[in-house]
Amino acid sequence: MKLKSFLAIGSALFLSMQLHAQDDLLSQLDSIKPTKKEVEMAAFKGLQICNMQSTKLPVKGEWYFLVTHRFGDLTEGINNFFGLDNALTRIGGIYAPTNWLSLGVSRHTANKIYELSGKYLLVSQKVDGFPVTIVGYNTAEINSSKFDKDEYPEFKDNNRLAYTSQLLISRKFNESLSLQVAPVFVHKNLYDAQPGTERKDDFLITGGGRCKLSKRISFNLEYAYRLNKPDVDYFQNPLSMGFDIETGGHVFQLVFSNSQAMNDVAYLTNAIGKWNDKGIFFGFNMYRVF
């Protein structure tokens, strides 16, 4: 009987020591912090918020075929069949040779513009680490339309060129909300030759965001403010809103904007519509991944 009691007490002490050792080991493991921060998932589902670029980049080796449309002025009603009579189209492609770089080319019906673009990752938002994602984005465009020599007697081929440089800074706050801000520089070799608008360089600050409404739908909003408006201003600050619709791993975007143009230079500096009056353009962005 004494032997049985002794064995029972010994077993209890051994089990207690084992549990204590396991607790110490677990506490030590908990105290070890990972040396590599986990990268936060992309702040945006689409490569664009509405018209503006987002900080999302394609994955290495992906090809994107893109088709975007902006129909005519919705406010004209049945006169232009609610904009369907006056559509502008952009068609192009994007390729990602690495995870941090994508290159694109597109053609726009407005002014027969060819646009080259490059988007490159500078730093990613980390979980419990760096608070934002920073991406650089540059475009160069060529206006291939015919110019009237009487209107532009000193016209040169380099006057067809225009450029933008953008620094996209975004933060994903949670699964439902992401915000982005971006300083933008626009240069035109041929500016809008109207009295009081003689300005080749424009500086803007842009902002946008995404708010998730359901598992597959989000609401997007963006706005660009021109910091150095000309003395005589024929154009408006661009304001756009729309919806992301996820369909089978792809994102289809519906867009409402006061700018019909889709190339970055014209969208940022030549918006003509007023949300409280006329000039509201509906359209969509469609990307196909290969």
Side-chain angles (χ1 to χ4, degrees):
M1 197 69 170
K2 291 182 179 180
L3 179 61
K4 289 182 179 180
S5 299
F6 179 79
L7 291 174
I9 293 172
S11 298
L13 289 172
F14 178 76
L15 180 61
S16 175
M17 292 172 62
Q18 286 290 96
L19 291 174
H20 182 71
Q22 289 180 9
D23 288 341
D24 287 344
L25 179 60
L26 290 174
S27 64
Q28 290 178 16
L29 291 174
D30 289 340
S31 65
I32 299 175
K33 295 182 179 180
T35 57
K36 188 175 181 180
K37 299 291 186 180
E38 182 181 351
V39 176
E40 182 63 85
M41 295 295 290
F44 296 91
K45 291 293 185 179
L47 297 180
Q48 295 175 264
I49 301 177
C50 292
N51 287 308
M52 290 164 29
Q53 290 291 313
S54 74
T55 52
K56 178 180 173 63
L57 279 88
V59 176
K60 178 182 178 180
E62 284 186 341
W63 285 92
Y64 277 73
F65 174 71
L66 62 96
V67 177
T68 61
H69 278 278
R70 296 294 182 269
F71 301 104
D73 188 359
L74 277 173
T75 63
E76 291 187 16
I78 197 64
N79 183 52
N80 70 345
F81 206 65
F82 298 95
L84 295 180
D85 291 344
N86 309 110
L88 296 181
T89 303
R90 173 194 181 201
I91 187 170
I94 299 171
Y95 176 66
T98 71
N99 285 326
W100 60 268
L101 173 68
S102 67
L103 303 171
V105 59
S106 59
R107 204 273 190 179
H108 304 250
T109 54
N111 293 322
K112 305 183 187 302
I113 285 174
Y114 291 89
E115 186 177 56
L116 305 176
S117 65
K119 184 188 283 190
Y120 42 94
L121 177 66
L122 299 175
V123 63
S124 295
Q125 180 180 341
K126 304 292 195 307
V127 178
D128 298 325
F130 197 76
V132 296
T133 294
I134 303 177
V135 170
Y137 184 70
N138 295 88
T139 67
E141 63 180 48
I142 303 171
N143 187 330
S144 66
S145 60
K146 292 183 179 180
F147 283 85
D148 188 341
K149 291 185 178 181
D150 293 331
E151 185 177 359
Y152 300 97
E154 298 181 2
F155 182 81
K156 300 177 181 178
D157 285 340
N158 67 353
N159 293 140
R160 297 181 179 276
L161 303 177
Y163 312 89
T164 72
S165 296
Q166 308 177 36
L167 190 65
L168 316 175
I169 306 168
S170 73
R171 176 169 174 79
K172 182 177 181 181
F173 291 89
N174 51 52
E175 290 300 319
S176 299
L177 179 65
S178 298
L179 298 177
Q180 177 177 298
V181 64
V184 179
F185 170 70
V186 178
H187 174 80
K188 305 176 187 179
N189 281 359
L190 183 66
Y191 50 81
D192 308 295
Q194 296 176 333
T197 69
E198 298 89 349
R199 190 181 300 281
K200 287 189 175 184
D201 297 329
D202 286 279
F203 298 90
L204 304 95
I205 186 73
T206 68
R210 170 182 179 266
C211 180
K212 191 173 182 179
L213 301 179
S214 68
K215 185 177 180 180
R216 296 187 179 275
I217 299 175
S218 67
F219 173 73
N220 299 345
L221 181 68
E222 65 183 35
Y223 177 72
Y225 180 77
R226 290 173 296 156
L227 298 173
N228 59 332
K229 291 184 178 182
D231 297 332
V232 179
D233 197 4
Y234 294 93
F235 303 108
Q236 308 297 317
N237 290 329
L239 172 64
S240 305
M241 62 183 66
F243 297 90
D244 282 354
I245 303 174
E246 296 182 54
T247 57
H250 305 294
V251 178
F252 181 77
Q253 296 180 307
L254 302 178
V255 177
F256 297 86
S257 179
N258 64 338
S259 174
Q260 189 182 21
M262 291 166 283
N263 59 302
D264 283 60
V265 170
Y267 164 68
L268 291 166
T269 62
N270 297 105
I272 60 173
K274 297 181 179 181
W275 277 90
N276 60 351
D277 191 7
K278 291 184 177 294
I280 306 303
F281 305 95
F282 168 70
F284 63 83
N285 303 331
M286 182 174 66
Y287 290 85
R288 175 64 180 172
V289 185
F290 296 94

